[in-house]
Each structure stands twice: as structure tokens, then as C-alpha cells.
Amino acid sequence: CSALSTKQERRFPDDFLFGTATAAYQIEGGWNADDKGESIWDHLTHNNPTVIKDLSNGDITADTYNNYKRDVEMMRELGLDAYRFSLSWSRILPNGLTNKVSEAGFAFYNNYIDEMVKYGITPMVTLYHWDLPQKLQDLGGLANPLFPEWYEDYARVVFEQFGDRVKHWITFNEPREICYEGYDAGRNAPQVNATGIGSYLCAKNLVMAHARAYHAYKNDFAPSQGGVCGITICVNWVAPLTDSEEDRFEAELSRQGQWGLYAEPIFSEEGGFPKELSERVAQRSIEQGYPRSRMPEFTDEEKAFVKGAADFFGVNHYTTFLISATEKFSEHAFSDFETENHYLDEWPKSASDWLNLAPNSVLNALTHLKEKYNNPVIYITENGWSTRHDAGLIDDDRIRYYRAALENVLDALDAGVNLKGYMAWSLMDNFEWFAGYTERFGLYEVDFEDPARTRTPKKSAFVYKQIIKKRVIDHEYEPSSMTMTID
Ligand code: PNW
């Protein structure tokens, strides 16, 4: 035994789930394979191609539709415990509604899941990662009050089909990006520009849809299938730029707008939308001449239905934003809470303008959630770093980021955070939304010029593999070669 070892090694628990994450539109391709229906991302990129930086789209992307066996081989090379991926709603229900189901869509996901399960990899499935069937968007999408019904119908089909093998369900990925960016700021698909109104309608319908799917699962599927169901919210750390009371208040409002709007109804004691933000919107609405608040309310019955409706809190965490009250919200007419984000010069920069490496970012976010929401079960469902498309395979800055984040994961475990797993974003390079293929988040490089979409491990893949295998972070570890094997 190593009585001579002086430095105490901190270990990840044996049952801690290490994985990687992806999303359907970003990796699958096969955008119109078999009877797949059009999604809002197909629609946006085809009808308005100049919104994407390199004029690209996800028509083929990494072509997982034809390469899923290679994807699972990569999971085995890395020694992953789990793999998080999303289902394309319009691949399963071409029109969005359940009167027509796609056997080809079922077959694709059944094969993908079977291949993972065969090798002992735990599938973690997101039902909705931004790619709404266009037919439902034509009816208003998430702004239509019938949305929760459509969503529950879809969720039931999915639980029924895949729930014998899938035990970890995530209803939505990143409500803020869906609602605020999609229906308010008009940046994400469907690019509805309904300033100060759209995101709140969407937020309520999304939260109700989540709760309907959750209860459907708990009542009708979990008793026989035995899995868990949660939601993934992007919780970046948001802190005041200075210690002034104004900055602290503005930072709190920013947290409420970025993620409290979606987390509070589900995870708080009181239920409903966050208090200070609701008050601000109500007051501004009246000043602006509206007869009532632009933000809808939950009835007591709805509050009770939504409160506690999650087995875990999925956290996507990337970075820290600093907020200053000197940029008054009123100067940002399109938002009730958005102000300029500040970063410190000494924070290392990624290839994405919003993503920097701030100290203790993961730890701050997780301990905040522990305190605020009574120590919920948490999975980190995304965390990652972008490099430029031509950065090559030696990605030491990504390695530095992952090591820092995982040190924080150990700190959080020491601090009593109920953290059960960590999914790195991303298994491989993919279609990075408006950045197209100009920003790369993969542990594996994908050659998008090559019809075979060859995947090659980056240096970070070897480092992540070593951490998973040894359950410790060795900051000195260097891969001895760039040849990957399955252990
Ligand atoms: C996530 N931010 O989006 C998404 O879930 C992924 O699909 C995406 O590829 C990944 O992060 C990298 O961008 C985010 O501004 C979008 O802090 C924006 C932010 C964070 C995550």
C-alpha cells in the first residue's frame, strides 16, 4: 500500500456518472431521411441561411444518422458511464402530433440506444433540444396554450417506446435559450420578435409542459420502468461587478431572468415565477400602458402541479457573467432584466465571445443552487470549451478548462452538493447553431469535408479518458501517443 504517498488524492465516487453530451440537430444530419418532418431549425437555416455565420446548416453535420455505431465506439474508447443525447421530435412524429408516428424514426433511436446498452453505457435522453416540428410552430409553437398538451402526447410516445432501456429523462434543454432567445430577443429559432411578452408566455407553457410530462412519467411509466425525470436549465454563475447594493440587486434580477423564471416554479418552496422579477415586469407593464402584467401568473392549482415536479436539476454550466447596474435595464428596451455582461481581462478566452474561464465558476453555481433549492439532486448535463475550427488536435486550453471544472466538481462534492454526474459538451465537433462550424466543442474532431465524417480524438479525449478511468485528476498526465484504443 502507498504509505509513502503524501499528497492526498481526491477521488470521484465510483457511482458518479461521467459522460458526454450532444443534441439531435447538432449531430444527426438526415434532416429529411425517410419520413422525418421539418423542424424549426431546418426551416430557419433553409429559408434564412445568412443568419448562420458560415452559411452552413445541420442537414448532414456529423451524420450520426449513418455513423451511430462509430459514436458508440467513441463512448467505449473514452470509457463513458453515460451518454446524453436528444431526440428529434419531428423524426419521431413528422407532423408534431401523435396521429402519425415514424417507424424509421423509432428504428434509428432503438438501434442507437441498443448499441449503447449493449456496452453498458447509460443513455440519458433529452426530449427537446430546440428542434420543434415546424407544423407546431405554424400554430404558434411554445406560445400556444395547447403546447403542454402536445408535449405530453409526444412524451408519452417516447416513454412508451424507449423507457424499457432509458432510465434518465430530461424534458427540456435550456428554457432560456428556447423562450428568451426564441420568442423575445428573436435570436434563436423560431426568431419570433415578441419583446417583453413572448418569453413569458413561452416560460409558462414550457414549465406546464414539463410538469405534465413529469407527472405522466411518474404516474404511468416510472412504476414499471423505474427511471427518473428532470429538466436541464443553463445556470451560468451571475455575480455583481462591484459589491454595491445596486449591482447586487441587478445581478439577482439577472439570475431570475436567466434561469429563475424556469427553476423557481419547479424547485422553490413558494412556487410560481420569481418575486422581484414579477414585480418589476408588473410595474413596467402598467407604466407602458398595458392593462395588466406582461408576465402571466400561475393559478394556485397550477403552482401545486408544477412545484416539486422534478427528480433532479440538470445544470448546463459554462461560464461567469458580471453584472453592473450602471447599464440600466431601461436602456435595453427589449428586456426587463438584460444588461451588459462583463468579464475580467485575466480570464482566459475561448473561441466563443461569451465563454471565458472564470475561477470557481462551477462551484459558485452549484453551491448557490444547493442553498436556494434545498439541496436538490443535480447532474451537470453540459460543460465545455470552444476552440477555433482550425485549432487542431492539441487542445491544451480545453484540457485546462476541464481540469478546472472537475476540480470544482470535487469541491462541490466536498461541500455537500448532491451531484450525481457530469456530462462534457461535447463528444464531438458539431453544428454550433449561429456559429455554424466555426466554433468547435468536441473531444473528437470531425472532418466535415470528408463524406465519411471521420472522427479523430483530440488530446483532451485522452485526458478525459484517464480521469474517468482513475477517478482522480492528474494534472501532470500527458498521453503517450494519440492512438486511441478500447480498454
Ligand atoms: C448550450 N451562454 O447553449 C446548448 O445546450 C448547446 O446546444 C450548445 O452547443 C452549447 O451550449 C455551446 O454553445 C448555450 O450564453 C448557449 O451562456 C448560450 C450560453 C450557454 C449555453
Side-chain angles (χ1 to χ4, degrees):
C1 91
S2 59
L4 293 178
S5 128
T6 45
K7 209 174 107 204
Q8 208 192 339
E9 280 180 335
R10 296 198 296 169
R11 295 184 65 80
F12 295 94
D14 288 337
D15 61 353
F16 188 84
L17 287 185
F18 274 111
T20 60
T22 58
Y25 186 71
Q26 295 179 272
I27 63 163
E28 282 180 3
W31 80 275
N32 63 354
D34 305 296
D35 51 356
K36 179 180 170 293
E38 189 188 33
S39 80
I40 56 176
W41 272 91
D42 298 321
H43 191 84
L44 176 67
T45 55
H46 294 161
N47 293 290
N48 207 354
T50 55
V51 299
I52 309 298
K53 192 164 176 189
D54 56 4
L55 307 180
S56 67
N57 57 48
D59 285 2
I60 303 174
T61 177
D63 200 15
T64 281
Y65 195 66
N66 294 302
N67 290 312
Y68 73 90
K69 286 198 175 168
R70 170 67 180 132
D71 289 2
V72 177
E73 186 178 71
M74 284 141 58
M75 299 170 205
R76 296 169 60 209
E77 289 172 351
L78 292 171
L80 301 187
D81 305 310
Y83 179 62
R84 173 178 178 239
F85 64 104
S86 83
L87 305 175
S88 158
W89 186 337
S90 63
R91 192 182 296 291
I92 292 173
L93 306 176
N95 303 320
L97 301 176
T98 50
N99 61 316
K100 183 177 175 210
V101 298
S102 166
E103 293 304 327
F106 285 157
F108 169 64
Y109 291 118
N110 275 324
N111 291 337
Y112 203 9
I113 293 167
D114 285 347
E115 187 78 2
M116 280 170 226
V117 170
K118 181 165 145 193
Y119 295 108
I121 296 157
T122 299
M124 183 179 267
V125 173
T126 311
L127 273 68
Y128 185 77
H129 198 125
W130 307 0
D131 47 354
L132 192 76
Q134 180 60 35
K135 294 263 193 213
L136 299 184
Q137 194 60 51
D138 294 341
L139 300 169
L142 278 95
N144 188 317
L146 288 180
F147 177 78
E149 217 168 278
W150 305 334
Y151 184 83
E152 182 188 332
D153 293 343
Y154 161 59
R156 284 179 177 277
V157 168
V158 162
F159 297 147
E160 174 81 44
Q161 268 297 314
F162 309 117
D164 56 334
R165 289 149 293 158
V166 175
K167 308 298 172 189
H168 293 77
W169 296 103
I170 295 168
T171 54
F172 287 93
N173 178 72
E174 296 193 350
R176 186 197 92 98
E177 273 59 31
I178 298 168
C179 292
Y180 184 67
E181 302 292 351
Y183 289 81
D184 204 299
R187 288 186 286 231
N188 258 0
Q191 298 204 321
V192 172
N193 213 322
T195 303
I197 295 176
S199 61
Y200 304 133
L201 298 182
C202 173
K204 182 170 176 193
N205 292 337
L206 182 151
V207 162
M208 291 304 297
H210 159 81
R212 284 183 68 137
Y214 175 81
H215 289 299
Y217 186 67
K218 295 306 271 192
N219 293 334
D220 298 340
F221 298 92
S224 56
Q225 297 179 349
V228 288
C229 179
I231 183 168
T232 280
I233 300 176
C234 186
V235 181
N236 287 311
W237 184 233
V238 180
L241 183 63
T242 76
D243 205 33
S244 75
E245 198 173 319
E246 293 77 15
D247 281 7
R248 280 188 282 137
F249 183 69
E250 209 53 43
E252 172 57 25
L253 272 181
S254 175
R255 286 193 289 267
Q256 293 184 6
Q258 311 281 342
W259 49 265
L261 207 47
Y262 318 98
E264 205 76 4
I266 301 169
F267 294 99
S268 74
E269 282 289 316
E270 307 74 37
F273 285 136
K275 184 163 168 286
E276 287 79 9
L277 183 64
S278 307
E279 286 168 5
R280 176 181 277 185
V281 177
Q283 184 204 334
R284 294 189 79 203
S285 302
I286 301 303
E287 286 164 11
Q288 290 160 342
Y290 294 98
R292 63 188 74 83
S293 178
R294 292 180 269 103
M295 186 185 282
E297 287 179 352
F298 289 89
T299 64
D300 287 345
E301 201 183 335
E302 288 170 338
K303 265 189 200 170
F305 184 70
V306 169
K307 225 170 53 147
D311 298 320
F312 63 88
F313 195 134
V315 172
N316 287 357
H317 180 90
Y318 284 88
T319 195
T320 292
F321 300 125
L322 301 176
I323 302 296
S324 159
T326 52
E327 302 104 19
K328 282 272 176 281
F329 62 87
S330 53
E331 290 160 24
H332 296 260
F334 59 86
S335 169
D336 297 308
F337 54 84
E338 188 169 291
T339 58
E340 211 71 31
N341 292 324
H342 296 265
Y343 321 98
L344 297 186
D345 287 341
E346 67 254 34
W347 296 351
K349 312 262 170 291
S350 73
S352 311
D353 56 10
W354 53 273
L355 175 52
N356 307 293
L357 172 51
N360 290 327
S361 198
V362 172
L363 181 64
N364 288 334
L366 293 183
T367 50
H368 180 83
L369 292 179
K370 169 178 184 273
E371 296 308 318
K372 198 169 175 64
Y373 298 128
N374 193 24
N375 205 9
V377 173
I378 297 178
Y379 287 89
I380 294 181
T381 45
E382 283 180 29
N383 178 246
W385 184 256
S386 63
T387 46
R388 282 166 46 113
H389 67 97
D390 54 359
L393 298 174
I394 307 300
D395 53 348
D396 290 306
D397 55 342
R398 178 172 289 106
I399 292 168
R400 172 180 57 183
Y401 180 90
Y402 276 126
R403 283 177 173 155
L406 288 168
E407 284 290 348
N408 261 208
V409 164
L410 289 168
D411 296 336
L413 289 169
D414 284 347
V417 173
N418 208 351
L419 182 62
K420 301 289 185 203
Y422 175 93
M423 309 292 131
W425 182 273
S426 177
L427 175 62
M428 63 191 141
D429 291 340
N430 56 56
F431 178 75
E432 178 52 25
W433 309 112
F434 291 98
Y437 300 100
T438 65
E439 297 170 15
R440 306 289 178 93
F441 279 87
L443 294 166
Y444 281 71
E445 182 180 77
V446 176
D447 182 352
F448 294 101
E449 307 294 318
D450 174 1
R453 297 298 191 272
T454 303
R455 290 112 155 92
T456 310
K458 301 180 190 174
K459 190 175 167 186
S460 56
F462 295 89
V463 171
Y464 193 45
K465 173 180 180 154
Q466 180 76 2
I467 292 171
I468 296 174
K469 189 167 148 188
K470 301 284 184 197
R471 305 263 144 185
V472 296
I473 306 166
D474 175 355
H475 289 264
E476 262 80 67
Y477 173 76
E478 286 277 330
S480 53
S481 85
M482 292 288 275
T483 310
M484 197 45 111
T485 52
I486 296 174
D487 293 350

